[in-house]
Amino acid sequence: MPAIQALGEGYDVFVVTDACGGVSAEAHDMAVRRMEQAGVVPITWMAVSGEWQRDWARESTANALGPVLQEHGGASGIAFAWELQLLATPTTDGAGA
């Protein structure tokens, strides 16, 4: 109800669906559906973190976000770790890091 109330007050409302829940999976699903019908935008914690980070050039927050993604990001965390490994690997032509 707070999300629907905020919509009524003119706010753009997003709900982080994988960071909230109900008394059962069905209750959670029905609540998300109801919010969607009212105009709330569902989003996941990974999408929120990506939007807040924007890009990896924002080093002041990237250094803190990286370990969170690696520990809790599932396949995205694995891909991130792989990218870090590739960036740290010298190339065969001697031009690498």
Side-chain angles (χ1 to χ4, degrees), residues 14-62:
F14 295 77
V15 61
V16 185
T17 59
D18 56 352
C20 61
V23 296
S24 68
E26 181 180 8
H28 175 74
D29 186 47
M30 292 299 112
V32 171
R33 287 184 191 192
R34 175 65 187 103
M35 287 185 284
E36 282 182 290
Q37 290 170 347
V40 173
V41 178
I43 194 167
T44 65
W45 78 268
M46 289 284 290
V48 169
S49 68
E51 288 185 15
W52 286 348
Q53 179 60 37
R54 291 193 305 261
D55 63 53
W56 293 108
R58 296 181 66 216
E59 293 178 14
S60 63
T61 53

